[in-house]
Amino acid sequence: MSTTYSISDLARELDITTRAIRFYEEQAMLNPERRGQERIYSAKDKVTLKLILRGKRIGFSLAECKELIELYDPGHGNRKQLETFMHKIAERRAQLEQQLLDIQQMQLELDTAEERCLAALVTAQA
């Protein structure tokens, strides 16, 4: 018998809220089995949630996470998924490098503004 999870089991195991899980379901990223009002999540749903959370941690949008998840084809391997993932990683890395440069530039501008303020304060006290 395959492993199944309730929404509270998944929330507890993955340290997220049940509301977050329902949100991903509303976004058509999860499709749990239903038994009356109860949601029954599969091991695949758990893996999907882990992928979503990992994607969010590295800065991917939900749309990007969904795209990567949808590319997985168990019958034909996951080469396309991995190639797309590598491309998105490279894009994200480039964005972060640009942000780092922007932050360093802003720090230099703050240093300059601070020096000018200090000089003006010294002049004003004289």
PDB file of all heavy atoms in Angstrom, residues 26-59:
ATOM      1  N   GLU A  26      -5.224  25.296  -4.844  1.00  0.00           N
ATOM      2  CA  GLU A  26      -6.009  26.260  -5.627  1.00  0.00           C
ATOM      3  C   GLU A  26      -5.273  26.679  -6.898  1.00  0.00           C
ATOM      4  O   GLU A  26      -5.899  26.992  -7.916  1.00  0.00           O
ATOM      5  CB  GLU A  26      -6.310  27.504  -4.788  1.00  0.00           C
ATOM      6  CG  GLU A  26      -7.287  27.270  -3.664  1.00  0.00           C
ATOM      7  CD  GLU A  26      -7.317  28.421  -2.658  1.00  0.00           C
ATOM      8  OE1 GLU A  26      -6.694  29.482  -2.918  1.00  0.00           O
ATOM      9  OE2 GLU A  26      -7.959  28.252  -1.603  1.00  0.00           O
ATOM     10  N   GLN A  27      -3.954  26.691  -6.836  1.00  0.00           N
ATOM     11  CA  GLN A  27      -3.135  27.054  -7.991  1.00  0.00           C
ATOM     12  C   GLN A  27      -2.932  25.882  -8.949  1.00  0.00           C
ATOM     13  O   GLN A  27      -2.162  25.989  -9.909  1.00  0.00           O
ATOM     14  CB  GLN A  27      -1.767  27.583  -7.530  1.00  0.00           C
ATOM     15  CG  GLN A  27      -1.839  28.803  -6.647  1.00  0.00           C
ATOM     16  CD  GLN A  27      -2.539  29.955  -7.329  1.00  0.00           C
ATOM     17  OE1 GLN A  27      -2.220  30.313  -8.451  1.00  0.00           O
ATOM     18  NE2 GLN A  27      -3.530  30.528  -6.658  1.00  0.00           N
ATOM     19  N   ALA A  28      -3.607  24.768  -8.688  1.00  0.00           N
ATOM     20  CA  ALA A  28      -3.543  23.550  -9.511  1.00  0.00           C
ATOM     21  C   ALA A  28      -2.148  22.931  -9.520  1.00  0.00           C
ATOM     22  O   ALA A  28      -1.738  22.306 -10.492  1.00  0.00           O
ATOM     23  CB  ALA A  28      -4.035  23.826 -10.925  1.00  0.00           C
ATOM     24  N   MET A  29      -1.429  23.123  -8.432  1.00  0.00           N
ATOM     25  CA  MET A  29      -0.110  22.511  -8.318  1.00  0.00           C
ATOM     26  C   MET A  29      -0.198  21.187  -7.565  1.00  0.00           C
ATOM     27  O   MET A  29       0.724  20.385  -7.638  1.00  0.00           O
ATOM     28  CB  MET A  29       0.852  23.474  -7.630  1.00  0.00           C
ATOM     29  CG  MET A  29       1.047  24.752  -8.434  1.00  0.00           C
ATOM     30  SD  MET A  29       2.113  25.944  -7.628  1.00  0.00           S
ATOM     31  CE  MET A  29       3.725  25.296  -8.091  1.00  0.00           C
ATOM     32  N   LEU A  30      -1.271  20.989  -6.842  1.00  0.00           N
ATOM     33  CA  LEU A  30      -1.534  19.742  -6.113  1.00  0.00           C
ATOM     34  C   LEU A  30      -2.954  19.294  -6.448  1.00  0.00           C
ATOM     35  O   LEU A  30      -3.837  20.129  -6.638  1.00  0.00           O
ATOM     36  CB  LEU A  30      -1.430  19.956  -4.597  1.00  0.00           C
ATOM     37  CG  LEU A  30      -0.089  20.368  -4.038  1.00  0.00           C
ATOM     38  CD1 LEU A  30      -0.242  20.735  -2.569  1.00  0.00           C
ATOM     39  CD2 LEU A  30       0.921  19.254  -4.200  1.00  0.00           C
ATOM     40  N   ASN A  31      -3.135  17.996  -6.481  1.00  0.00           N
ATOM     41  CA  ASN A  31      -4.463  17.465  -6.764  1.00  0.00           C
ATOM     42  C   ASN A  31      -4.714  16.250  -5.870  1.00  0.00           C
ATOM     43  O   ASN A  31      -4.624  15.106  -6.326  1.00  0.00           O
ATOM     44  CB  ASN A  31      -4.587  17.089  -8.246  1.00  0.00           C
ATOM     45  CG  ASN A  31      -6.001  16.745  -8.619  1.00  0.00           C
ATOM     46  OD1 ASN A  31      -6.939  17.149  -7.947  1.00  0.00           O
ATOM     47  ND2 ASN A  31      -6.152  15.987  -9.683  1.00  0.00           N
ATOM     48  N   PRO A  32      -4.997  16.495  -4.582  1.00  0.00           N
ATOM     49  CA  PRO A  32      -5.182  15.364  -3.667  1.00  0.00           C
ATOM     50  C   PRO A  32      -6.473  14.602  -3.956  1.00  0.00           C
ATOM     51  O   PRO A  32      -7.422  15.148  -4.509  1.00  0.00           O
ATOM     52  CB  PRO A  32      -5.250  16.028  -2.291  1.00  0.00           C
ATOM     53  CG  PRO A  32      -5.784  17.385  -2.581  1.00  0.00           C
ATOM     54  CD  PRO A  32      -5.209  17.773  -3.926  1.00  0.00           C
ATOM     55  N   GLU A  33      -6.452  13.356  -3.566  1.00  0.00           N
ATOM     56  CA  GLU A  33      -7.665  12.541  -3.635  1.00  0.00           C
ATOM     57  C   GLU A  33      -8.613  13.056  -2.556  1.00  0.00           C
ATOM     58  O   GLU A  33      -8.176  13.599  -1.539  1.00  0.00           O
ATOM     59  CB  GLU A  33      -7.276  11.086  -3.353  1.00  0.00           C
ATOM     60  CG  GLU A  33      -8.387  10.090  -3.407  1.00  0.00           C
ATOM     61  CD  GLU A  33      -7.903   8.699  -3.021  1.00  0.00           C
ATOM     62  OE1 GLU A  33      -6.738   8.361  -3.302  1.00  0.00           O
ATOM     63  OE2 GLU A  33      -8.707   7.973  -2.413  1.00  0.00           O
ATOM     64  N   ARG A  34      -9.885  12.893  -2.784  1.00  0.00           N
ATOM     65  CA  ARG A  34     -10.881  13.340  -1.800  1.00  0.00           C
ATOM     66  C   ARG A  34     -11.663  12.149  -1.290  1.00  0.00           C
ATOM     67  O   ARG A  34     -12.045  11.278  -2.047  1.00  0.00           O
ATOM     68  CB  ARG A  34     -11.868  14.328  -2.430  1.00  0.00           C
ATOM     69  CG  ARG A  34     -11.252  15.605  -2.900  1.00  0.00           C
ATOM     70  CD  ARG A  34     -11.219  16.595  -1.805  1.00  0.00           C
ATOM     71  NE  ARG A  34     -10.779  17.884  -2.317  1.00  0.00           N
ATOM     72  CZ  ARG A  34     -10.948  18.983  -1.666  1.00  0.00           C
ATOM     73  NH1 ARG A  34     -11.531  18.992  -0.507  1.00  0.00           N
ATOM     74  NH2 ARG A  34     -10.514  20.121  -2.161  1.00  0.00           N
ATOM     75  N   ARG A  35     -11.878  12.151   0.011  1.00  0.00           N
ATOM     76  CA  ARG A  35     -12.792  11.205   0.641  1.00  0.00           C
ATOM     77  C   ARG A  35     -13.756  12.048   1.454  1.00  0.00           C
ATOM     78  O   ARG A  35     -13.456  12.422   2.580  1.00  0.00           O
ATOM     79  CB  ARG A  35     -12.041  10.225   1.548  1.00  0.00           C
ATOM     80  CG  ARG A  35     -11.223   9.221   0.785  1.00  0.00           C
ATOM     81  CD  ARG A  35     -10.683   8.134   1.694  1.00  0.00           C
ATOM     82  NE  ARG A  35      -9.607   7.437   0.992  1.00  0.00           N
ATOM     83  CZ  ARG A  35      -8.479   7.063   1.557  1.00  0.00           C
ATOM     84  NH1 ARG A  35      -8.263   7.295   2.835  1.00  0.00           N
ATOM     85  NH2 ARG A  35      -7.562   6.439   0.843  1.00  0.00           N
ATOM     86  N   GLY A  36     -14.870  12.381   0.824  1.00  0.00           N
ATOM     87  CA  GLY A  36     -15.788  13.323   1.458  1.00  0.00           C
ATOM     88  C   GLY A  36     -15.122  14.684   1.485  1.00  0.00           C
ATOM     89  O   GLY A  36     -14.680  15.193   0.468  1.00  0.00           O
ATOM     90  N   GLN A  37     -15.023  15.255   2.675  1.00  0.00           N
ATOM     91  CA  GLN A  37     -14.354  16.551   2.844  1.00  0.00           C
ATOM     92  C   GLN A  37     -12.858  16.411   3.091  1.00  0.00           C
ATOM     93  O   GLN A  37     -12.127  17.392   3.072  1.00  0.00           O
ATOM     94  CB  GLN A  37     -14.999  17.303   4.026  1.00  0.00           C
ATOM     95  CG  GLN A  37     -16.417  17.744   3.760  1.00  0.00           C
ATOM     96  CD  GLN A  37     -16.493  18.788   2.664  1.00  0.00           C
ATOM     97  OE1 GLN A  37     -15.632  19.643   2.525  1.00  0.00           O
ATOM     98  NE2 GLN A  37     -17.548  18.697   1.863  1.00  0.00           N
ATOM     99  N   GLU A  38     -12.396  15.195   3.334  1.00  0.00           N
ATOM    100  CA  GLU A  38     -10.994  14.963   3.678  1.00  0.00           C
ATOM    101  C   GLU A  38     -10.121  14.903   2.429  1.00  0.00           C
ATOM    102  O   GLU A  38     -10.474  14.271   1.437  1.00  0.00           O
ATOM    103  CB  GLU A  38     -10.873  13.645   4.451  1.00  0.00           C
ATOM    104  CG  GLU A  38      -9.484  13.374   4.968  1.00  0.00           C
ATOM    105  CD  GLU A  38      -9.398  12.059   5.724  1.00  0.00           C
ATOM    106  OE1 GLU A  38     -10.350  11.253   5.666  1.00  0.00           O
ATOM    107  OE2 GLU A  38      -8.364  11.835   6.360  1.00  0.00           O
ATOM    108  N   ARG A  39      -8.984  15.576   2.500  1.00  0.00           N
ATOM    109  CA  ARG A  39      -7.999  15.532   1.424  1.00  0.00           C
ATOM    110  C   ARG A  39      -6.992  14.432   1.763  1.00  0.00           C
ATOM    111  O   ARG A  39      -6.475  14.393   2.868  1.00  0.00           O
ATOM    112  CB  ARG A  39      -7.256  16.862   1.321  1.00  0.00           C
ATOM    113  CG  ARG A  39      -8.077  18.026   0.873  1.00  0.00           C
ATOM    114  CD  ARG A  39      -7.252  19.308   1.069  1.00  0.00           C
ATOM    115  NE  ARG A  39      -7.831  20.452   0.427  1.00  0.00           N
ATOM    116  CZ  ARG A  39      -8.684  21.282   1.016  1.00  0.00           C
ATOM    117  NH1 ARG A  39      -9.061  21.077   2.259  1.00  0.00           N
ATOM    118  NH2 ARG A  39      -9.159  22.316   0.356  1.00  0.00           N
ATOM    119  N   ILE A  40      -6.689  13.610   0.782  1.00  0.00           N
ATOM    120  CA  ILE A  40      -5.691  12.553   0.948  1.00  0.00           C
ATOM    121  C   ILE A  40      -4.561  12.826  -0.041  1.00  0.00           C
ATOM    122  O   ILE A  40      -4.749  12.770  -1.254  1.00  0.00           O
ATOM    123  CB  ILE A  40      -6.292  11.142   0.687  1.00  0.00           C
ATOM    124  CG1 ILE A  40      -7.555  10.920   1.510  1.00  0.00           C
ATOM    125  CG2 ILE A  40      -5.242  10.069   0.923  1.00  0.00           C
ATOM    126  CD1 ILE A  40      -7.339  10.939   3.005  1.00  0.00           C
ATOM    127  N   TYR A  41      -3.388  13.134   0.504  1.00  0.00           N
ATOM    128  CA  TYR A  41      -2.238  13.474  -0.329  1.00  0.00           C
ATOM    129  C   TYR A  41      -1.351  12.256  -0.518  1.00  0.00           C
ATOM    130  O   TYR A  41      -1.128  11.478   0.407  1.00  0.00           O
ATOM    131  CB  TYR A  41      -1.441  14.615   0.315  1.00  0.00           C
ATOM    132  CG  TYR A  41      -2.222  15.896   0.356  1.00  0.00           C
ATOM    133  CD1 TYR A  41      -3.030  16.200   1.440  1.00  0.00           C
ATOM    134  CD2 TYR A  41      -2.167  16.797  -0.692  1.00  0.00           C
ATOM    135  CE1 TYR A  41      -3.761  17.379   1.482  1.00  0.00           C
ATOM    136  CE2 TYR A  41      -2.899  17.980  -0.661  1.00  0.00           C
ATOM    137  CZ  TYR A  41      -3.694  18.253   0.429  1.00  0.00           C
ATOM    138  OH  TYR A  41      -4.425  19.414   0.457  1.00  0.00           O
ATOM    139  N   SER A  42      -0.801  12.130  -1.717  1.00  0.00           N
ATOM    140  CA  SER A  42       0.073  11.009  -2.060  1.00  0.00           C
ATOM    141  C   SER A  42       1.533  11.375  -1.806  1.00  0.00           C
ATOM    142  O   SER A  42       1.868  12.542  -1.545  1.00  0.00           O
ATOM    143  CB  SER A  42      -0.109  10.654  -3.532  1.00  0.00           C
ATOM    144  OG  SER A  42       0.375  11.718  -4.349  1.00  0.00           O
ATOM    145  N   ALA A  43       2.403  10.386  -1.958  1.00  0.00           N
ATOM    146  CA  ALA A  43       3.841  10.635  -1.856  1.00  0.00           C
ATOM    147  C   ALA A  43       4.268  11.619  -2.952  1.00  0.00           C
ATOM    148  O   ALA A  43       5.138  12.462  -2.735  1.00  0.00           O
ATOM    149  CB  ALA A  43       4.614   9.333  -1.968  1.00  0.00           C
ATOM    150  N   LYS A  44       3.631  11.529  -4.133  1.00  0.00           N
ATOM    151  CA  LYS A  44       3.933  12.460  -5.223  1.00  0.00           C
ATOM    152  C   LYS A  44       3.585  13.891  -4.820  1.00  0.00           C
ATOM    153  O   LYS A  44       4.328  14.823  -5.115  1.00  0.00           O
ATOM    154  CB  LYS A  44       3.160  12.058  -6.477  1.00  0.00           C
ATOM    155  CG  LYS A  44       3.432  12.953  -7.655  1.00  0.00           C
ATOM    156  CD  LYS A  44       2.619  12.529  -8.866  1.00  0.00           C
ATOM    157  CE  LYS A  44       2.948  13.450 -10.016  1.00  0.00           C
ATOM    158  NZ  LYS A  44       1.836  14.078 -10.633  1.00  0.00           N
ATOM    159  N   ASP A  45       2.446  14.057  -4.134  1.00  0.00           N
ATOM    160  CA  ASP A  45       2.072  15.393  -3.660  1.00  0.00           C
ATOM    161  C   ASP A  45       3.114  15.936  -2.690  1.00  0.00           C
ATOM    162  O   ASP A  45       3.452  17.121  -2.722  1.00  0.00           O
ATOM    163  CB  ASP A  45       0.707  15.360  -2.973  1.00  0.00           C
ATOM    164  CG  ASP A  45      -0.444  15.086  -3.927  1.00  0.00           C
ATOM    165  OD1 ASP A  45      -0.423  15.613  -5.063  1.00  0.00           O
ATOM    166  OD2 ASP A  45      -1.366  14.360  -3.538  1.00  0.00           O
ATOM    167  N   LYS A  46       3.629  15.066  -1.841  1.00  0.00           N
ATOM    168  CA  LYS A  46       4.655  15.489  -0.873  1.00  0.00           C
ATOM    169  C   LYS A  46       5.915  15.942  -1.608  1.00  0.00           C
ATOM    170  O   LYS A  46       6.497  16.982  -1.277  1.00  0.00           O
ATOM    171  CB  LYS A  46       4.978  14.349   0.091  1.00  0.00           C
ATOM    172  CG  LYS A  46       5.992  14.711   1.145  1.00  0.00           C
ATOM    173  CD  LYS A  46       6.226  13.569   2.100  1.00  0.00           C
ATOM    174  CE  LYS A  46       7.298  13.902   3.118  1.00  0.00           C
ATOM    175  NZ  LYS A  46       7.572  12.783   4.024  1.00  0.00           N
ATOM    176  N   VAL A  47       6.331  15.186  -2.620  1.00  0.00           N
ATOM    177  CA  VAL A  47       7.510  15.561  -3.406  1.00  0.00           C
ATOM    178  C   VAL A  47       7.258  16.897  -4.116  1.00  0.00           C
ATOM    179  O   VAL A  47       8.122  17.776  -4.140  1.00  0.00           O
ATOM    180  CB  VAL A  47       7.868  14.455  -4.421  1.00  0.00           C
ATOM    181  CG1 VAL A  47       8.916  14.935  -5.423  1.00  0.00           C
ATOM    182  CG2 VAL A  47       8.358  13.214  -3.690  1.00  0.00           C
ATOM    183  N   THR A  48       6.061  17.049  -4.672  1.00  0.00           N
ATOM    184  CA  THR A  48       5.710  18.304  -5.341  1.00  0.00           C
ATOM    185  C   THR A  48       5.805  19.474  -4.369  1.00  0.00           C
ATOM    186  O   THR A  48       6.373  20.527  -4.704  1.00  0.00           O
ATOM    187  CB  THR A  48       4.290  18.216  -5.940  1.00  0.00           C
ATOM    188  OG1 THR A  48       4.255  17.165  -6.911  1.00  0.00           O
ATOM    189  CG2 THR A  48       3.877  19.529  -6.584  1.00  0.00           C
ATOM    190  N   LEU A  49       5.278  19.309  -3.174  1.00  0.00           N
ATOM    191  CA  LEU A  49       5.369  20.371  -2.167  1.00  0.00           C
ATOM    192  C   LEU A  49       6.823  20.689  -1.823  1.00  0.00           C
ATOM    193  O   LEU A  49       7.198  21.855  -1.688  1.00  0.00           O
ATOM    194  CB  LEU A  49       4.621  19.968  -0.901  1.00  0.00           C
ATOM    195  CG  LEU A  49       3.171  20.375  -0.840  1.00  0.00           C
ATOM    196  CD1 LEU A  49       2.487  19.735   0.371  1.00  0.00           C
ATOM    197  CD2 LEU A  49       3.017  21.881  -0.796  1.00  0.00           C
ATOM    198  N   LYS A  50       7.645  19.667  -1.692  1.00  0.00           N
ATOM    199  CA  LYS A  50       9.067  19.892  -1.399  1.00  0.00           C
ATOM    200  C   LYS A  50       9.723  20.691  -2.521  1.00  0.00           C
ATOM    201  O   LYS A  50      10.525  21.588  -2.268  1.00  0.00           O
ATOM    202  CB  LYS A  50       9.800  18.562  -1.211  1.00  0.00           C
ATOM    203  CG  LYS A  50       9.539  17.894   0.112  1.00  0.00           C
ATOM    204  CD  LYS A  50      10.343  16.612   0.207  1.00  0.00           C
ATOM    205  CE  LYS A  50      10.233  15.971   1.556  1.00  0.00           C
ATOM    206  NZ  LYS A  50      11.050  14.743   1.646  1.00  0.00           N
ATOM    207  N   LEU A  51       9.369  20.362  -3.774  1.00  0.00           N
ATOM    208  CA  LEU A  51       9.928  21.093  -4.911  1.00  0.00           C
ATOM    209  C   LEU A  51       9.470  22.546  -4.921  1.00  0.00           C
ATOM    210  O   LEU A  51      10.253  23.453  -5.215  1.00  0.00           O
ATOM    211  CB  LEU A  51       9.545  20.407  -6.221  1.00  0.00           C
ATOM    212  CG  LEU A  51      10.191  19.050  -6.483  1.00  0.00           C
ATOM    213  CD1 LEU A  51       9.583  18.392  -7.716  1.00  0.00           C
ATOM    214  CD2 LEU A  51      11.697  19.180  -6.626  1.00  0.00           C
ATOM    215  N   ILE A  52       8.215  22.764  -4.596  1.00  0.00           N
ATOM    216  CA  ILE A  52       7.696  24.137  -4.531  1.00  0.00           C
ATOM    217  C   ILE A  52       8.452  24.928  -3.469  1.00  0.00           C
ATOM    218  O   ILE A  52       8.907  26.051  -3.706  1.00  0.00           O
ATOM    219  CB  ILE A  52       6.185  24.138  -4.218  1.00  0.00           C
ATOM    220  CG1 ILE A  52       5.382  23.556  -5.389  1.00  0.00           C
ATOM    221  CG2 ILE A  52       5.700  25.551  -3.886  1.00  0.00           C
ATOM    222  CD1 ILE A  52       3.933  23.227  -5.039  1.00  0.00           C
ATOM    223  N   LEU A  53       8.601  24.338  -2.304  1.00  0.00           N
ATOM    224  CA  LEU A  53       9.283  25.031  -1.202  1.00  0.00           C
ATOM    225  C   LEU A  53      10.743  25.294  -1.531  1.00  0.00           C
ATOM    226  O   LEU A  53      11.276  26.372  -1.217  1.00  0.00           O
ATOM    227  CB  LEU A  53       9.140  24.222   0.083  1.00  0.00           C
ATOM    228  CG  LEU A  53       7.701  24.064   0.589  1.00  0.00           C
ATOM    229  CD1 LEU A  53       7.648  23.098   1.768  1.00  0.00           C
ATOM    230  CD2 LEU A  53       7.083  25.397   0.945  1.00  0.00           C
ATOM    231  N   ARG A  54      11.401  24.336  -2.168  1.00  0.00           N
ATOM    232  CA  ARG A  54      12.798  24.538  -2.563  1.00  0.00           C
ATOM    233  C   ARG A  54      12.887  25.654  -3.595  1.00  0.00           C
ATOM    234  O   ARG A  54      13.765  26.527  -3.514  1.00  0.00           O
ATOM    235  CB  ARG A  54      13.384  23.252  -3.141  1.00  0.00           C
ATOM    236  CG  ARG A  54      14.851  23.407  -3.540  1.00  0.00           C
ATOM    237  CD  ARG A  54      15.438  22.138  -4.093  1.00  0.00           C
ATOM    238  NE  ARG A  54      15.299  21.061  -3.135  1.00  0.00           N
ATOM    239  CZ  ARG A  54      15.065  19.792  -3.481  1.00  0.00           C
ATOM    240  NH1 ARG A  54      14.956  19.441  -4.739  1.00  0.00           N
ATOM    241  NH2 ARG A  54      14.966  18.860  -2.550  1.00  0.00           N
ATOM    242  N   GLY A  55      11.981  25.638  -4.568  1.00  0.00           N
ATOM    243  CA  GLY A  55      11.975  26.685  -5.582  1.00  0.00           C
ATOM    244  C   GLY A  55      11.778  28.065  -4.984  1.00  0.00           C
ATOM    245  O   GLY A  55      12.444  29.022  -5.356  1.00  0.00           O
ATOM    246  N   LYS A  56      10.856  28.164  -4.030  1.00  0.00           N
ATOM    247  CA  LYS A  56      10.621  29.448  -3.374  1.00  0.00           C
ATOM    248  C   LYS A  56      11.858  29.909  -2.606  1.00  0.00           C
ATOM    249  O   LYS A  56      12.182  31.096  -2.600  1.00  0.00           O
ATOM    250  CB  LYS A  56       9.424  29.337  -2.432  1.00  0.00           C
ATOM    251  CG  LYS A  56       8.090  29.296  -3.171  1.00  0.00           C
ATOM    252  CD  LYS A  56       6.943  29.234  -2.217  1.00  0.00           C
ATOM    253  CE  LYS A  56       6.952  30.431  -1.299  1.00  0.00           C
ATOM    254  NZ  LYS A  56       5.904  30.469  -0.313  1.00  0.00           N
ATOM    255  N   ARG A  57      12.548  28.973  -1.949  1.00  0.00           N
ATOM    256  CA  ARG A  57      13.752  29.334  -1.180  1.00  0.00           C
ATOM    257  C   ARG A  57      14.842  29.915  -2.068  1.00  0.00           C
ATOM    258  O   ARG A  57      15.615  30.765  -1.626  1.00  0.00           O
ATOM    259  CB  ARG A  57      14.302  28.118  -0.437  1.00  0.00           C
ATOM    260  CG  ARG A  57      13.693  27.872   0.901  1.00  0.00           C
ATOM    261  CD  ARG A  57      14.491  26.889   1.753  1.00  0.00           C
ATOM    262  NE  ARG A  57      14.858  25.675   1.077  1.00  0.00           N
ATOM    263  CZ  ARG A  57      14.101  24.573   0.991  1.00  0.00           C
ATOM    264  NH1 ARG A  57      12.916  24.552   1.540  1.00  0.00           N
ATOM    265  NH2 ARG A  57      14.525  23.498   0.355  1.00  0.00           N
ATOM    266  N   ILE A  58      14.922  29.444  -3.309  1.00  0.00           N
ATOM    267  CA  ILE A  58      15.970  29.978  -4.186  1.00  0.00           C
ATOM    268  C   ILE A  58      15.463  31.108  -5.081  1.00  0.00           C
ATOM    269  O   ILE A  58      16.164  31.554  -5.970  1.00  0.00           O
ATOM    270  CB  ILE A  58      16.670  28.870  -5.015  1.00  0.00           C
ATOM    271  CG1 ILE A  58      15.695  28.108  -5.889  1.00  0.00           C
ATOM    272  CG2 ILE A  58      17.433  27.937  -4.119  1.00  0.00           C
ATOM    273  CD1 ILE A  58      16.356  27.049  -6.761  1.00  0.00           C
ATOM    274  N   GLY A  59      14.239  31.566  -4.796  1.00  0.00           N
ATOM    275  CA  GLY A  59      13.752  32.774  -5.442  1.00  0.00           C
ATOM    276  C   GLY A  59      12.915  32.573  -6.690  1.00  0.00           C
ATOM    277  O   GLY A  59      12.664  33.539  -7.415  1.00  0.00           O
TER     278      GLY A  59
END
